[in-house]
Amino acid sequence: MKLLITGGAGFVGSSLAISLKQNYPQYQIFALDNLKRRGSELSLARLKAAGIEFLHGDIRNKEDFDALPAVDTVIEASAEPSVLAGLDGTPDYLINTNLFGTVNCLNYALKHKANFIFLSTSRVYPIKTIETLNFEEADTRFMLTDDQPVPGVSSKGIAENFPLDGARSLYGTTKLASELLIQEYNEFYGLKTVINRCGVITGPWQMGKVDQGVMVLWIAKHYFEQKLAYIGYGGTGKQTRDMLHIADLYRLIDWELHHLDAVNGQILNAGGGQQSSASLQELTKICQEVTGKTIPITQVAENRAADIRLYITDNTNVTNLTGWKPELGIREIVTDIHDWLNENRAALEPILK
């Protein structure tokens, strides 16, 4: 099998590429990336050591696809992943990468009759609707209730039939627009596709920032003994997310790669779910226990743009279709990332500190 992974030097793309090559050494895997994100250059040696061919290119450029070899499957893992991207009034890079880049990927897949696995995001769900959901405030976190004003949500989390009307961030909009185009290519061009709406993905080799990769950011700030802040919702740190370890995402992509007919045309939520969720307050406690360090955390009551109080993925649909469910919990994720920081401190300190 020949595979092209876009965003192949990014956290998700490189992790998937290396895991696939380790498990299927006979596969030929190409990793395409423009190396724009800081830290992505660290992936090049890892990809080479794994036997993966790196291709320097940009999905925004149609010409870059002309030189690519034919493949059997495209895994579209490239993106400008920041929820705050474009909110400064310049959304061009975001839109050109996340929307028009996906169009170029689709046309390349169509040309070679390749299957298409797309990594979308839970951010396709509208902010205002999420913010009006019924919740309970516990001692350390916010929790969804079963009694809700809209379909597609319960105490288990948010499902695929959650209403899509309303604003969701420019980032979320580019991903939803890509989803719509993928469905058209599936229906009218016969392209075999699956869309995965991923929650917060995390794990080793993610270069965490304030606006994307918060799990690594939180652990790294503890590790390097720097400052953090609980921002928004009264500054209590009760805002809650589920976290999906990249190794758990890999298991799903591996299954889809080899059983695509079973999920062809599907849109599937994939996140950590209730079992792998934490509030910032709870995450802080685990970070303190794993790192042995306590750092100052300030409180900022005012909310940030495009933030949400609470998001948990309801994985019912994907589990019923594929049998997949995440296996790694929050403490295991924190421990794994902490071990990675220890092992690669010299390379990571200039980026994460």
Side-chain angles (χ1 to χ4, degrees), residues 92-122:
D92 295 19
Y93 179 78
L94 172 76
I95 293 170
N96 287 335
T97 300
N98 289 9
L99 180 53
F100 297 123
T102 299
V103 172
N104 291 333
C105 293
L106 283 166
N107 288 334
Y108 164 78
L110 197 62
K111 175 183 175 182
H112 297 293
K113 296 181 172 58
N115 295 337
F116 196 84
I117 297 174
F118 184 66
L119 297 185
S120 189
T121 172
S122 60

Side-chain angles (χ1 to χ4, degrees), residues 44-315:
L44 299 185
R46 296 169 54 238
L47 291 168
K48 185 176 182 180
I52 293 157
E53 187 173 339
F54 172 72
L55 304 170
H56 191 210
D58 197 313
I59 63 167
R60 294 175 298 168
N61 300 330
K62 286 189 290 186
E63 298 84 356
D64 286 357
F65 286 89
D66 294 338
L68 297 184
V71 296
D72 303 298
T73 300
V74 176
I75 299 174
E76 224 286 62
S78 62
E80 164 50 65
S82 170
V83 173
L84 301 179
L87 297 185
D88 59 357
T90 52
D92 295 19
Y93 179 78
L94 172 76
I95 293 170
N96 287 335
T97 300
N98 289 9
L99 180 53
F100 297 123
T102 299
V103 172
N104 291 333
C105 293
L106 283 166
N107 288 334
Y108 164 78
L110 197 62
K111 175 183 175 182
H112 297 293
K113 296 181 172 58
N115 295 337
F116 196 84
I117 297 174
F118 184 66
L119 297 185
S120 189
T121 172
S122 60
R123 280 292 184 165
V124 300
Y125 300 117
I127 291 170
K128 286 182 180 176
T129 312
I130 292 174
E131 287 290 82
T132 57
L133 297 177
N134 294 328
F135 67 95
E136 294 175 351
E137 185 172 351
D139 290 343
T140 59
R141 67 158 65 193
F142 298 123
M143 300 186 299
L144 290 167
T145 64
D146 282 322
D147 178 31
Q148 294 293 344
V150 295
V153 59
S154 68
S155 60
K156 288 192 294 185
I158 288 175
E160 293 86 349
N161 58 329
F162 192 83
L164 291 175
D165 293 338
R168 72 209 76 240
S169 77
L170 287 164
Y171 162 66
T173 297
T174 59
K175 300 298 277 187
L176 181 60
S178 293
E179 285 189 13
L180 294 171
L181 283 168
I182 289 165
Q183 290 174 78
E184 299 296 321
Y185 274 66
N186 178 278
E187 177 70 23
F188 294 108
Y189 293 145
L191 194 68
K192 290 183 179 180
T193 67
V194 63
I195 294 166
N196 298 288
R197 287 178 178 163
C198 300
V200 177
I201 310 168
T202 192
W205 297 105
Q206 184 177 42
M207 304 301 160
K209 302 190 296 181
V210 171
D211 55 345
Q212 197 272 327
V214 68
M215 187 81 167
V216 169
L217 172 78
W218 215 258
I219 300 163
K221 291 294 186 185
H222 279 82
Y223 182 80
F224 293 117
E225 297 183 271
Q226 296 182 296
K227 297 177 182 177
L228 279 170
Y230 295 140
I231 300 174
Y233 304 99
T236 61
K238 290 186 179 181
Q239 56 264 57
T240 302
R241 300 287 189 278
D242 60 350
M243 306 287 175
L244 181 63
H245 192 290
I246 186 64
D248 278 328
L249 176 62
Y250 165 74
R251 291 189 302 104
L252 176 61
I253 300 302
D254 184 7
W255 193 95
E256 291 175 346
L257 185 63
H258 299 97
H259 303 85
L260 195 61
D261 284 343
V263 288
N264 181 28
Q266 294 287 336
I267 298 174
L268 304 173
N269 278 1
Q274 283 177 308
Q275 301 304 311
S276 185
S277 66
S279 68
L280 288 178
Q281 195 181 129
E282 293 164 352
L283 180 58
T284 297
K285 186 172 186 295
I286 296 171
C287 286
Q288 289 170 348
E289 292 167 358
V290 171
T291 66
K293 298 171 182 177
T294 299
I295 61 172
I297 300 180
T298 56
Q299 295 180 310
V300 180
E302 295 77 23
N303 294 358
R304 278 188 308 196
D307 207 358
I308 53 177
R309 174 185 291 105
L310 175 60
Y311 183 89
I312 304 289
T313 308
D314 184 347
N315 287 316

